[in-house]
Amino acid sequence: MEFEENIKVAIRGLIDHKFRSFLTMLGIIFGVASVIAMLSIGEGAKRQAIAKYQDLGVNNIIVRDKELSNEELEEVRAKFSLGLSINDANVIKEIVPGVVDVAPQAEKDSEIKFADKSSKSTIIGITPSFIEILNYEAEKGTFINEDHCTRNLKVCVLGAGVVKTLFQNQDPLGKMVKIDDQWLEVIGVMKTKALFTETVGELASRDLNNDVYVPLSTFNKRFEFENKLSSEIKQITVKVKGSEHLIETAGLIRGILNRHHYNNDDFSIVIPYELLKQEEKERRIYNILLGAIAAISLIVGGIGIMNIMLATVIERTREIGIRRAIGARKTDILSQFITEAVAISITGGLIGIFLGVSLSLGISLLTDVSTFIRVYSVIIAFGFSVIVGISFGYLPAKNAANLKPIESIRYE
Amino acid sequence: MLIEIKNLKKDYLMGEIMVPALKGVDLKIGKNEYVAIMGPSGSGKSTLMNILGCLDTPTSGQYLFNKIDVSELNDNELSAMRNREIGFVFQSFNLLPRMSSLHNVELPLMYAGVHKLERKERSVKALERVGLADRMMHKPSELSGGQRQRVAVARALVTNPGILLADEPTGALDSKTGIEIMQLFDELHREGNTIILITHEKDIAEFAHRTIHLKDGMIFTDELNNKNSKSKKKQIP
Ligand SMILES: Nc1ncnc2c1ncn2[C@@H]1O[C@H](COP(=O)(O)OP(=O)(O)OP(=O)(O)O)[C@@H](O)[C@H]1O
Ligand SMILES: [Mg+2]
């Protein structure tokens, strides 16, 4: 019998047994769909975490001034610590080995005004190293450079959110905005940043798009803190060469700063990369769980297929016997059943892929769980279920084809 | 001789015990013979028939079909043998339930590699031959018992086999329908077909020209029927 004929026989077989074919397919459909959905949830969580930490820089160590109450501040100052300072940043850059660059930043919550509009923003005094160390990008205009800093120029770069509030459709470049009692010229606009929605270590979450950047020197000269006891700067971002020695480097920095701050413990150190690794470790259990659920559903799918096959084995064995009695060779029988199994598996697999993709899109749309479908997960799910389908379809057929025709006709 | 059987034996293994079903059968059947096999239940009729139809293999002994030693054929050759040389009609019809009569009849031709158009033409002819021209698209469940058996006969005939084997073809039918099927066999015989059939009923066996009685796995009598004059008897010791 020719190949084409074989396919026709198999497809006819499937159509003649619509309900059975459908039941057999169900196992594959749900197996594939759940594997794709599960893996996409795991992958989504992973990507979210990586994106979050990438914003902070995987090679960075972040030193941050602790939020202290007034009494605590007074106590710390009484014990000689001046809090985080530009000097601290310079010292770190000079004596800690492996440090590529440092970005000190001063912060102040204030209102920024343009015409009749205003926006509550965090004014951040920075040095030019900031943009490179934290992977920021200017959307329009330029970022703050060395010249702005040395000349204490009254310029600022706006976060995308601030631009939206103050300027709507106008071009902000070259406009003068007012912060406190100072007028500054807008020289650049930042690209939109993913919302920093989760608290990372000891870094509180906030909307980075509402930040306004000014030269650190200008900040020091032109702005005043409400609290006279405030530290000179709020944060030092330290960029280290490679991520292998982050912990040792952080230890070194802690030691130096402790000495400078007279062991006042008024700063904290966050290593985003270590937090990422930590989180990955925690997520592993979650991933194993997801994988186990997916594996179980594939197994259940396989058992489903086997069940249908066993339930129909008498009918099918007789069918095989009859076909053999009128002249079908073993290979005719086998290719019929393999073609049937392949057709069922592929159809079921495709429906399963469709269902799984919809499911994972649905999950990310309707819940706050983010999902991401990787091609390999689709291939794994599809491949595995096709293998399961073919094996469970093939084995009973092979056994039946190996019986003597009379035995399969009489099979009960 | 179309069929030559020498000292054919068949044992079934039931757990630990060997149950002999055929204990040494010798038989010769020529072209265009019409043979009825009778005998009590369990005497080995079906066992013999299944071996003749290449559905089963003997434990020992020789089976020559058209001078071909069947025991030396491999599985594919046996399949081809069943396909081309043997038309088998079963008591329980053994049609594929979800296929139309036409498709059921086409199946052997499909396994023979006959092209679609020719296949359809020959199948239609075979169904017309058994009087089912108006039931081509019916599924077995939509047919009466007699009609189903006619489909089975058409399926057996469609490849123009060397021999038609029927194991109690009327066993599942009422006597009137049974007689109709036998008349069909009678016509087929007159058209030149070689027929062997198993039956329990004497009046069915009388359609044949030769009756073989089996008893305990051996041939007990083998006699020619003579419908008009007295039947010539040939006793086998
Ligand atoms: N598959 C089998 N396994 C074991 N024993 C079998 C098998 N088939 C037949 N037999 C035995 O072989 C003997 C002959 O059986 P067979 O079916 O040939 O009888 P039969 O003459 O066709 O009887 P009936 O008229 O009832 O159809 C019986 O004793 C039966 O029990
Ligand atoms: Mg029998």
Side-chain angles (χ1 to χ4, degrees):
Chain A
M1 212 170 48
E2 308 136 42
F3 179 67
E4 193 197 319
E5 203 74 77
N6 250 322
I7 291 184
K8 275 193 205 151
V9 171
I11 303 295
R12 264 208 69 97
L14 294 183
I15 293 170
D16 286 345
H17 301 90
K18 286 185 206 73
F19 191 58
R20 183 177 72 199
S21 311
F22 173 68
L23 284 181
T24 314
M25 241 176 247
L26 267 189
I28 292 187
I29 292 174
F30 287 125
V32 170
S34 62
V35 169
I36 290 176
M38 294 297 165
L39 291 179
S40 79
I41 291 173
E43 186 65 25
K46 185 174 166 192
R47 294 202 169 215
Q48 212 172 26
I50 290 176
K52 181 169 76 187
Y53 290 108
Q54 234 153 23
D55 271 353
L56 297 170
V58 286
N59 282 355
N60 290 350
I61 295 170
I62 295 170
V63 183
R64 199 150 169 97
D65 200 46
K66 266 191 187 160
E67 292 302 339
L68 298 175
S69 67
N70 248 337
E71 294 88 69
E72 287 170 318
L73 259 183
E74 276 167 18
E75 192 190 328
V76 165
R77 297 291 178 263
K79 292 204 246 148
F80 313 113
S81 174
L82 298 171
L84 226 46
S85 65
I86 296 176
N87 188 44
D88 286 337
N90 293 335
V91 168
I92 290 170
K93 186 173 179 182
E94 266 157 43
I95 53 179
V96 179
V99 169
V100 178
D101 208 350
V102 295
Q105 70 184 61
E107 287 176 21
K108 177 181 199 300
D109 286 334
S110 201
E111 220 166 351
I112 171 166
K113 295 186 189 120
F114 174 73
D116 57 342
K117 305 216 170 48
S118 72
S119 160
K120 280 208 184 315
S121 297
T122 306
I123 315 302
I124 303 182
I126 44 97
T127 58
S129 57
F130 179 88
I131 191 162
E132 197 251 331
I133 290 183
L134 279 131
N135 290 320
Y136 278 35
E137 272 178 85
E139 164 102 27
K140 261 198 267 178
T142 55
F143 198 68
I144 285 151
N145 63 28
E146 210 62 60
D147 184 46
H148 299 133
C149 289
T150 44
R151 292 165 58 201
N152 303 340
L153 292 183
K154 287 161 75 174
V155 292
C156 67
V157 176
L158 305 181
V162 181
V163 172
K164 218 176 189 178
T165 329
L166 296 187
F167 292 94
Q168 275 99 24
N169 299 327
Q170 294 183 59
D171 184 5
L173 293 187
K175 300 274 175 0
M176 299 300 285
V177 293
K178 194 178 181 195
I179 301 171
D180 293 356
D181 55 353
Q182 299 292 323
W183 288 91
L184 295 100
E185 186 192 348
V186 179
I187 56 164
V189 174
M190 302 306 287
K191 269 199 175 146
T192 308
K193 270 275 181 192
L195 288 188
F196 188 17
T197 52
E198 274 176 77
T199 301
V200 176
E202 287 163 73
L203 306 178
S205 65
R206 65 169 217 270
D207 186 353
L208 299 171
N209 296 311
N210 266 345
D211 289 350
V212 174
Y213 306 96
V214 301
L216 182 54
S217 52
T218 313
F219 185 101
N220 283 336
K221 202 162 167 214
R222 305 287 177 187
F223 297 117
E224 284 187 2
F225 293 115
E226 267 157 44
N227 188 339
K228 299 286 171 218
L229 293 175
S230 291
S231 310
E232 186 183 11
I233 56 174
K234 193 69 197 164
Q235 177 175 323
I236 304 169
T237 309
V238 181
K239 182 173 183 165
V240 178
K241 203 164 147 199
S243 52
E244 302 84 35
H245 304 297
L246 282 169
I247 294 179
E248 294 89 325
T249 311
L252 224 55
I253 293 172
R254 182 178 293 282
I256 292 166
L257 292 185
N258 270 339
R259 235 175 324 118
H260 281 233
H261 293 209
Y262 301 94
N263 293 324
N264 266 303
D265 194 27
D266 56 353
F267 62 91
S268 50
I269 295 185
V270 173
I271 310 174
Y273 183 70
E274 289 303 317
L275 292 174
L276 174 63
K277 284 205 300 200
Q278 184 71 30
E279 211 177 282
E280 236 159 36
K281 225 184 255 168
E282 283 160 19
R283 232 186 15 252
R284 216 162 53 210
I285 299 167
Y286 175 64
N287 280 342
I288 289 172
L289 200 73
L290 286 178
I293 294 172
I296 287 171
S297 59
L298 265 186
I299 291 170
V300 169
I303 292 173
I305 298 167
M306 198 156 59
N307 245 328
I308 309 288
M309 286 294 172
L310 287 178
T312 57
V313 85
I314 292 172
E315 188 192 330
R316 304 237 75 181
T317 304
R318 281 190 64 113
E319 179 192 332
I320 291 170
I322 293 169
R323 286 177 185 273
R324 294 275 281 142
I326 59 175
R329 292 166 301 168
K330 278 181 192 173
T331 50
D332 293 329
I333 300 294
L334 286 182
S335 48
Q336 175 192 338
F337 275 75
I338 291 170
T339 315
E340 268 188 30
V342 169
I344 283 195
S345 309
I346 288 180
T347 316
L350 290 178
I351 298 175
I353 288 176
F354 177 77
L355 195 68
V357 170
S358 323
L359 209 64
S360 103
L361 291 179
I363 288 172
S364 64
L365 280 178
L366 301 176
T367 70
D368 55 2
V369 177
S370 86
T371 61
F372 186 90
I373 300 165
R374 286 188 65 181
V375 176
Y376 91 92
S377 73
V378 174
I379 294 171
I380 285 182
F382 186 72
F384 192 80
S385 54
V386 166
I387 290 170
V388 167
I390 292 176
S391 334
F392 285 133
Y394 171 79
L395 288 177
K398 189 182 163 180
N399 292 340
N402 279 330
L403 289 176
K404 278 185 192 149
I406 192 64
E407 282 165 6
S408 17
I409 286 186
R410 282 210 193 125
Y411 189 88
E412 258 153 34
Chain B
M1 280 295 119
L2 184 64
I3 285 176
E4 268 189 87
I5 279 176
K6 284 183 203 135
N7 199 21
L8 194 79
K9 289 185 184 164
K10 177 74 181 179
D11 300 325
Y12 287 111
L13 196 60
M14 294 289 289
E16 307 255 295
I17 349 160
M18 285 289 219
V19 181
L22 294 175
K23 297 175 182 167
V25 175
D26 295 282
L27 184 63
K28 284 182 181 176
I29 294 173
K31 278 218 163 69
N32 200 24
E33 274 203 76
Y34 190 178
V35 182
I37 298 178
M38 297 191 74
S41 188
S43 55
K45 305 183 293 293
S46 296
T47 305
L48 177 61
M49 195 67 125
N50 293 335
I51 291 171
L52 290 178
C54 299
L55 295 175
D56 205 353
T57 47
T59 311
S60 70
Q62 200 179 35
Y63 171 23
L64 299 179
F65 186 97
N66 254 342
K67 309 249 158 48
I68 300 164
D69 189 344
V70 173
S71 65
E72 279 174 7
L73 301 181
N74 65 26
D75 194 79
N76 280 350
E77 289 164 334
L78 282 175
S79 299
M81 186 87 158
R82 288 194 289 272
N83 189 235
R84 305 217 170 104
E85 300 294 348
I86 289 154
F88 215 111
V89 178
F90 301 87
Q91 177 177 356
S92 51
F93 321 129
N94 280 335
L95 299 171
L96 291 186
R98 315 212 184 218
M99 289 184 178
S100 66
S101 315
L102 184 63
H103 205 92
N104 263 292
V105 176
E106 274 187 57
L107 272 184
L109 294 179
M110 194 181 72
Y111 288 118
V114 174
H115 188 265
K116 215 157 74 180
L117 291 177
E118 187 190 342
R119 199 160 78 202
K120 178 143 191 222
E121 198 184 303
R122 282 169 67 178
S123 306
V124 168
K125 233 181 242 165
L127 278 166
E128 281 168 352
R129 174 68 200 82
V130 299
L132 285 179
D134 54 345
R135 294 287 188 276
M136 307 254 187
M137 288 308 151
H138 287 59
K139 289 182 180 162
S141 58
E142 298 156 359
L143 296 170
S144 72
Q147 288 169 333
R148 286 184 216 182
Q149 196 59 299
R150 282 168 191 273
V151 175
V153 172
R155 181 180 66 185
L157 282 177
V158 76
T159 53
N160 291 321
I163 192 163
L164 209 55
L165 304 176
D167 189 346
E168 299 192 47
T170 61
L173 305 174
D174 62 62
S175 53
K176 185 172 157 279
T177 323
I179 296 293
E180 282 167 19
I181 292 288
M182 288 319 296
Q183 279 160 351
L184 176 61
F185 274 105
D186 216 31
E187 288 165 25
L188 293 174
H189 172 248
R190 261 184 268 128
E191 287 165 16
N193 286 293
T194 313
I195 299 175
I196 306 178
L197 71 84
I198 295 177
T199 182
H200 276 293
E201 291 158 63
K202 201 139 186 73
D203 43 342
I204 298 282
E206 273 164 7
F207 279 88
H209 295 180
R210 177 178 165 193
T211 305
I212 295 168
H213 274 266
L214 281 187
K215 208 174 159 187
D216 282 338
M218 286 192 290
I219 293 185
F220 179 57
T221 63
D222 184 347
E223 56 202 16
L224 290 174
N225 308 347
N226 196 322
K227 277 179 182 168
N228 304 321
S229 57
K230 296 173 283 175
S231 49
K232 288 182 203 161
K233 292 208 171 182
K234 192 173 84 180
Q235 201 81 31
I236 302 283

